[in-house]
Amino acid sequence: MGVLSRLISAKSEAYTMDDFHRQVVERARGGQVHSGVKVNEESAMRFITVYSCVRVLAETMGTLPLGVYKKRPGGGADQASDHPVHELLYSLPNDEMTTVTWREQQLGSQALAGNCYSVITLDGRGRPADLYPIPWTMVEPFRDLSDGKIKYRITDRGKQEVYPASAIFHVPGLGFDGIMGYSPIRMAAESIGVGLSAAEFAARFYGQGMNIGGVIEVQEELSEAAYNRLRDDLEARGSGLANSWRPLLLEEGSKFSRIPMSFNDAQFIENRKFTRDEICGLFRVPPHMIANLERSTNNNIEHQAIEFVQYSLMPYLVSWEKTINWKLFTPAERREGYYAKFNVSGLLRGDYKSRQEGLAQMRQNGVINANKWLEIEDMNPIDGPEGEAYLVNGNMISPTTAASQTKSNSSGGGEMKK
């Protein structure tokens, strides 16, 4: 069989579960890219830009208020702090960690590997009681051909268990089948590999001798003993930052000629900046969020922070809210109006002056009362009717009142009633 025939034959073969298992193992172990380094989720986290982006996303989402609400029949909603799911999301998802730790772990896995998983345990009444995170490397989502349903195979220390979809809290990222998300690290392995290689090169450049980098010229061939002594002396004196700029003692008319290495000439710095910006784009994190302020000013950094919420965090938050509503509430509870929601108002508040001007306008137009204003600013309410009263500007009246006063004026011929 020829090469072309073998290729066509290989492509026509059916895709089996063995192929899937092999790809999962390859993904878990990682692969070597053209830059010569091994890139997987673990090694990528050792690259400062990847770690910074994932940390910003995970810590920000982990500290956002997340609670359960119930819709009012006439509009609006109230916080349902008595619902058992509220305790899981707001305080303790299990008996080993807080909601901040759980959410950071989950979002970190989702940002790195494209998926995050937790096992949902139920209490005696069939309600969610705990959420235990599972490493993504241990989970394999698949469609059971016997009943056509999605299930999850979890492998732990050689033992496998299959769970129904209802027992697994799974938030996938962008994926080809809607069941399992792509790994962003795998998708951008080459770019991340360049960054890892550049970081390793810089470390080796400084650690193994940035101050020698030259050629030693001798007039005659050295004996083996003289060569070994000169080599050992050079390694002892010229390697490492501690030996920078120490003089070399050369014998028998030897001459040392330095070969300068310019990072700028090699476009080393520019390459690292480009890789950093590429990875920020991969995670959709504004560069200023990882301490890169080259393109940020005091005039636009506030708007960039708002864009971070709108375009970086919001896709994660919405997918999380939808998954929570699907996996942690029963159909009856959803019909009753229960839902989970992140509160991002704190991240969109802006500066103090602008916030107070906006609240003042809402107060003057009767949208909020004094106690609501104080609640937004994390201050204690005013006791009595003064705090609950809604006020409007004195020169503003409703169209109905204006029409009735105009009619009364025209019929009586007197002044407008007050």
Side-chain angles (χ1 to χ4, degrees):
M1 182 182 293
V3 175
L4 182 60
S5 300
R6 288 198 299 269
L7 289 175
I8 296 176
S9 176
K11 289 185 177 180
S12 63
E13 293 177 358
Y15 183 81
T16 66
M17 287 304 299
D18 292 336
D19 298 325
F20 181 84
H21 286 306
R22 185 182 65 257
Q23 291 180 355
V24 170
V25 172
E26 291 175 353
R27 185 182 64 176
R29 293 177 179 175
Q32 196 172 62
V33 295
H34 290 91
S35 58
V37 298
K38 188 175 182 180
V39 177
N40 56 27
E41 286 73 13
E42 182 181 357
S43 65
M45 280 292 280
R46 294 196 292 270
F47 185 34
I48 184 63
T49 304
V50 173
Y51 180 84
S52 299
C53 289
V54 174
R55 180 183 179 186
V56 165
L57 292 170
E59 291 184 347
T60 304
M61 199 265 241
T63 55
L64 282 177
L66 171 61
V68 174
Y69 298 84
K70 185 178 182 181
K71 297 179 182 177
R72 295 179 179 179
D78 298 306
Q79 191 174 63
S81 56
D82 57 341
H83 196 283
V85 175
H86 181 85
E87 175 68 13
L88 296 179
L89 302 178
Y90 190 80
S91 299
L92 300 173
N94 55 66
D95 57 0
E96 297 178 346
M97 61 189 65
T98 67
T99 182
V100 175
T101 304
W102 175 70
R103 278 188 265 163
E104 286 181 354
Q105 185 278 333
Q106 292 284 276
L107 191 67
S109 295
Q110 185 181 357
L112 281 172
N115 301 272
C116 63
Y117 305 93
S118 288
V119 172
I120 305 171
T121 62
L122 306 178
D123 61 13
R125 301 176 60 181
R127 300 176 302 183
D130 295 291
L131 294 167
Y132 285 98
I134 317 170
W136 64 270
T137 53
M138 297 170 52
V139 186
E140 173 197 336
F142 68 99
R143 187 178 298 278
D144 193 338
L145 298 180
S146 63
D147 55 12
K149 294 184 178 180
I150 298 173
K151 297 180 182 179
Y152 294 82
R153 182 180 291 109
I154 299 178
T155 304
D156 184 14
R157 288 167 290 188
K159 181 181 178 182
Q160 290 188 350
E161 292 186 56
V162 176
Y163 290 79
S166 59
I168 302 296
F169 180 86
H170 174 206
V171 186
L174 175 67
F176 68 95
D177 58 359
I179 300 175
M180 190 173 184
Y182 290 125
S183 167
I185 300 301
R186 307 294 169 174
M187 295 295 103
E190 294 292 347
S191 295
I192 295 173
V194 170
L196 287 169
S197 297
E200 181 179 353
F201 173 79
R204 290 183 180 275
F205 185 79
Y206 284 99
Q208 294 182 357
M210 60 174 289
N211 57 317
I212 300 300
V215 176
I216 296 178
E217 301 178 16
V218 295
Q219 296 179 355
E220 299 179 359
E221 182 179 358
L222 298 177
S223 65
E224 183 176 356
Y227 173 81
N228 292 334
R229 188 159 64 91
L230 178 60
R231 182 192 60 191
D232 294 341
D233 185 66
L234 287 175
E235 290 180 354
R237 291 175 175 271
S239 178
L241 286 177
N243 295 323
S244 297
W245 311 113
R246 291 185 63 182
L248 297 176
L249 300 178
L250 301 179
E251 303 176 11
E252 300 181 0
S254 300
K255 296 181 180 180
F256 175 77
S257 300
R258 180 178 295 278
I259 301 177
M261 168 60 183
S262 172
F263 275 177
N264 287 326
D265 292 342
Q267 295 184 340
F268 182 81
I269 296 176
E270 287 77 6
N271 179 66
R272 296 199 70 179
K273 289 181 180 179
F274 179 74
T275 303
R276 180 181 59 190
D277 292 341
E278 272 193 327
I279 294 176
C280 284
L282 171 66
F283 292 102
R284 205 181 297 175
V285 172
H288 80 274
M289 299 293 291
I290 62 169
N292 178 14
L293 302 177
E294 290 182 355
R295 300 179 183 177
S296 300
T297 66
N298 291 332
N299 295 327
N300 67 6
I301 198 166
E302 181 179 343
H303 293 285
Q304 291 185 42
I306 294 175
E307 290 179 353
F308 168 70
V309 177
Q310 295 175 334
Y311 303 115
S312 303
L313 277 182
M314 198 57 67
Y316 288 106
L317 302 184
V318 173
S319 62
W320 269 64
E321 290 171 354
K322 300 300 182 182
T323 304
I324 291 171
N325 296 340
W326 172 31
K327 292 295 184 76
L328 302 185
F329 295 113
T330 64
E333 289 176 329
R334 291 195 293 270
R335 288 192 297 268
E336 292 175 6
Y338 286 100
Y339 67 96
K341 188 173 181 61
F342 287 92
N343 185 357
V344 298
S345 60
L347 298 178
L348 302 173
R349 292 169 73 176
D351 62 273
Y352 183 81
K353 181 180 178 182
S354 300
R355 187 169 72 250
Q356 296 307 312
E357 290 175 351
L359 291 173
Q361 291 181 4
M362 296 176 70
R363 172 73 165 142
Q364 294 170 9
N365 293 328
V367 178
I368 62 174
N369 55 23
N371 283 345
K372 184 62 178 179
W373 188 337
L374 294 171
E375 179 184 345
I376 294 174
E377 293 300 318
D378 294 324
M379 301 172 68
N380 293 330
I382 300 173
D383 295 331
E386 295 83 0
E388 299 295 332
Y390 287 85
L391 306 176
V392 295
N393 283 323
N395 60 346
M396 298 179 66
I397 59 176
S398 67
T400 304
T401 303
S404 63
Q405 291 182 352
T406 302
K407 182 178 180 180
S408 175
N409 236 6
S410 59
S411 62
E415 297 181 355
M416 182 181 291
K417 296 181 181 179
K418 294 182 180 179

